[in-house]
Amino acid sequence: MKSHVIVTGAAGILGRAVSQCLRDAGYGVTGIDRAPADDGASAYLGGVDLTDGDATRDAVRQAIADRGPLHALVNVAGTFRWETMADGDAATWSTLFDINLRTAVNAVRAALPALREGGGAVVSIGAASAIKAGAGMGAYAASKAGIAKLTEALAEEEKDHGVRVNAVLPSIIDTPANRADMPDADFSRWVAPSAVASVIAFLLSDGASAVTGACLPVTGRC
Ligand SMILES: NC(=O)c1ccc[n+]([C@@H]2O[C@H](COP(=O)([O-])OP(=O)(O)OC[C@H]3O[C@@H](n4cnc5c(N)ncnc54)[C@H](OP(=O)(O)O)[C@@H]3O)[C@@H](O)[C@H]2O)c1
């Protein structure tokens, strides 16, 4: 095994693509998600609510006990809501901050001691809308801007501990959910999950050893 990577949100569309890409590159992957199902091809801890700090810490401990020292963390868990300020619900802001940001904060806090031992790396999934938000994207973009600022601050904090910290900022990923929501769009302009995954694999690799604190747009032709 090249090294051990935890992928959160591993049961989702992008999480599955990232797990597969990293396994193909020779990494040992532990997936963590609240979904109970296992994709069968890698170690997987299901039923974990990553908004719960204690549950996240237990899952990361379990992953290390099962699969050995940890070298990297990929924060994929997240979600999306489109709603305007006029018609939306204030609770959506809490929901998106919990699922898009708190999950990553909890995973980083749980994994950091192990990552420091292994000269590790963190990659988180932000969003292009964190740079320029469109209508209806306020809560989502604000939560993903949180990922960008977590990335920048943590990268500075960890420079002397040997942990690199980066983020990718996709626009629209070509997923079944997006195809169903936007049936008339030109899907060829979107980014394939495998294409996002290969950028993540690069950011984890030795080829990116000089890269930390980057928030990299991965936007295809959107
Ligand atoms: N799809 C896009 O166009 C797009 C664009 C830019 C950025 N992104 C970001 O990319 C990431 C993956 O997106 P995706 O399209 O692959 O979404 P997805 O298929 O819904 O996958 C997200 C996964 O995260 C899990 N999850 C959510 N909250 C969790 C929690 N509290 N604890 C543990 N697991 C949790 C989900 O479980 P449940 O199914 O139980 O919720 C799901 O398995 C997200 O961070 C998303 O915001 C997506």
Side-chain angles (χ1 to χ4, degrees), residues 14-112:
L14 181 59
R16 271 182 271 158
V18 171
S19 299
Q20 186 61 52
C21 177
L22 294 178
R23 282 197 299 268
D24 290 347
Y27 293 92
V29 176
T30 301
I32 301 179
D33 200 295
R34 66 183 167 194
D38 189 348
D39 68 5
S42 65
Y44 177 84
L45 299 170
V48 179
D49 180 359
L50 293 159
T51 65
D52 179 333
D54 291 339
T56 305
R57 203 163 24 252
D58 288 348
V60 169
R61 277 199 196 117
Q62 185 68 53
I64 292 168
D66 290 348
R67 213 173 176 88
L70 185 66
H71 302 93
L73 167 69
V74 184
N75 290 310
V76 182
T79 195
F80 179 74
R81 299 280 191 286
W82 190 98
E83 58 183 47
T84 62
M85 292 299 292
D87 299 325
D89 185 343
T92 299
W93 288 71
S94 310
T95 301
L96 291 190
F97 271 76
D98 278 347
I99 296 180
N100 286 341
L101 184 56
R102 187 176 302 281
T103 54
V105 169
N106 285 341
V108 163
R109 287 173 59 82
L112 206 47

Side-chain angles (χ1 to χ4, degrees), residues 36-212:
D38 189 348
D39 68 5
S42 65
Y44 177 84
L45 299 170
V48 179
D49 180 359
L50 293 159
T51 65
D52 179 333
D54 291 339
T56 305
R57 203 163 24 252
D58 288 348
V60 169
R61 277 199 196 117
Q62 185 68 53
I64 292 168
D66 290 348
R67 213 173 176 88
L70 185 66
H71 302 93
L73 167 69
V74 184
N75 290 310
V76 182
T79 195
F80 179 74
R81 299 280 191 286
W82 190 98
E83 58 183 47
T84 62
M85 292 299 292
D87 299 325
D89 185 343
T92 299
W93 288 71
S94 310
T95 301
L96 291 190
F97 271 76
D98 278 347
I99 296 180
N100 286 341
L101 184 56
R102 187 176 302 281
T103 54
V105 169
N106 285 341
V108 163
R109 287 173 59 82
L112 206 47
L115 294 177
R116 282 182 174 184
E117 285 174 24
V122 178
V123 177
S124 301
I125 317 301
S129 59
I131 301 169
K132 172 74 173 133
M137 302 283 275
Y140 177 74
S143 68
K144 291 297 192 178
I147 288 288
K149 295 304 134 183
L150 166 66
T151 298
E152 291 169 359
L154 188 63
E156 290 302 316
E157 292 168 17
E158 293 303 313
K159 271 180 181 166
D160 292 335
H161 298 287
V163 180
R164 295 184 303 105
V165 187
N166 294 293
V168 293
L169 314 184
S171 46
I172 304 175
I173 301 173
D174 187 2
T175 66
N178 283 335
R179 287 190 180 211
D181 286 346
M182 296 171 269
D184 298 327
D186 177 355
F187 306 147
S188 72
R189 302 191 75 84
W190 297 350
V191 186
S194 59
V196 182
S198 58
V199 176
I200 293 167
F202 165 70
L203 289 171
L204 294 183
S205 74
D206 290 344
S209 61
V211 183
T212 193

